[in-house]
Amino acid sequence: MISVLKKMIIVTLVFPALLSASLLAQESSQRLNPYDLRLYHDAAGKVQKVQTPADWQKRRQEIIRGMETVMGPFPGDDQRVPLNVEVIEEVKLEKYTRQLITYQSGPDSRTPAYLCIPHAASKDHKVPAVLCLHPTDNKVGHKVALGLGGRAGRNYGAELAERGYVTISPAYPHLANYWPNLGKLGFVSGTMKAIWDNSRAIDLLASLDYVDMSRGVGDIGHSLGGHNAIYTAVFDPRVTAIVSSCGFDSYPDYYDGAERVWYFGKGWCQIRYMPRMSDYRGKLDQIPFDFPELLGALSPRPVYVNAPLHDSNFRWKSVDKCAASAAPIYDLLGAKGKLVIDHPDCDHNFPEAQRQKAYQLFDTVLKK
């Protein structure tokens, strides 16, 4: 399955780090309807109907180019330097050992992370792994994914370790104690730096002789981690099961399209997210990618989405609209029913029942 996904997921580094206004205008003028994934541009630039998986790959490449227009380019393999893992702290718990580590995510950057290793894991007994991406927390950062502070119900890194998974929970750029110099490192957004750090975390998992990568890895996140789980999986085909909790609605629906959240430094336009998003204030329909397309780009992989009815950040009706738009691509790729949307009667939260459904998805996909 992984080899097939690698062929399907093509990352085209077309856009340089800095794009001229004219190029942005040209790209937006060719924008396809984000809610109609059955359209693509052929080699001559004409709009055609998606009828085959090969047709869909052309649309998918266009989606990725749109992401890179805003996020900056996904780094090349020359940036996959030796990981040089350093263990800073180790705590042995009842079912697993928790390590605070750093790893070399790029030539001039080290990323902190928590690595949890079930006691049963060994070279002779390999276990699957999950990338656990934390929500916004500027006090404890990635500690919240381990239940070491922050709000309850976000400790999926610890709960999955107790369930027998190796888990890794990287810090997110410009939160808590992780402040990489994005510009100096060549990143135009914190989002792309996070995607890269996450991909390198998967490299780290793959390097461990007690991790079973034969069925890929899972990724999971709440809120900030919810959309980064999606972004990371779009770029990294080794992610074979995705869980996003309270992580998105369509960009034009974000806070009901209020203009105040589309200024530089606000909402999606913060440096730690995607500052170029502010270029689209007043023309949100021209943002060159959106979540209906990202959900389609994840197909045929299974995706579980927790979208509460009373989430004040992301609108559940918009989530449903995104999913409905992606459904034809799941059908086309033989994955009907693999995109699941759940609507618990709660606020911006990840309840126990929904976390258990997420873990069951990982059990189904990753465990033999």
Side-chain angles (χ1 to χ4, degrees), residues 134-157:
H134 69 87
T136 302
D137 191 307
N138 205 23
K139 292 184 178 180
V140 300
H142 58 157
K143 288 183 178 180
V144 69
L146 284 306
L148 300 176
R151 294 185 62 186
R154 282 91 168 131
N155 59 327
Y156 31 82

Side-chain angles (χ1 to χ4, degrees), residues 102-118:
T102 64
Y103 58 91
Q104 198 77 32
S105 48
D108 300 302
S109 181
R110 293 192 68 81
T111 300
Y114 279 99
L115 179 67
C116 295
I117 310 159

Side-chain angles (χ1 to χ4, degrees), residues 235-281:
F235 282 99
D236 199 315
R238 295 172 296 181
V239 179
T240 54
I242 300 98
V243 173
S244 176
S245 171
C246 299
F248 68 94
D249 54 12
S250 76
Y251 294 125
D253 289 338
Y254 180 62
Y255 279 87
D256 297 321
E259 186 174 355
R260 70 180 187 277
V261 299
W262 290 98
Y263 285 87
F264 177 81
K266 302 291 186 179
W268 290 109
C269 311
Q270 299 175 62
I271 291 173
R272 67 184 177 213
Y273 302 131
M274 296 169 282
R276 285 181 179 169
M277 278 291 202
S278 63
D279 295 340
Y280 299 94
R281 187 179 70 255

Side-chain angles (χ1 to χ4, degrees), residues 120-197:
S122 70
K123 183 177 180 180
D124 298 321
H125 180 69
K126 299 185 179 209
V127 300
V130 179
L131 174 68
C132 300
L133 306 177
H134 69 87
T136 302
D137 191 307
N138 205 23
K139 292 184 178 180
V140 300
H142 58 157
K143 288 183 178 180
V144 69
L146 284 306
L148 300 176
R151 294 185 62 186
R154 282 91 168 131
N155 59 327
Y156 31 82
E159 290 182 335
L160 283 162
E162 291 176 349
R163 202 177 178 99
Y165 291 90
V166 172
T167 68
I168 190 165
S169 305
Y172 187 90
H174 292 200
L175 283 176
N177 63 339
Y178 181 42
W179 290 85
N181 187 325
L182 299 174
K184 186 176 179 180
L185 293 171
F187 291 93
V188 300
S189 71
T191 293
M192 185 53 76
K193 172 58 171 161
I195 293 168
W196 180 248
D197 287 351

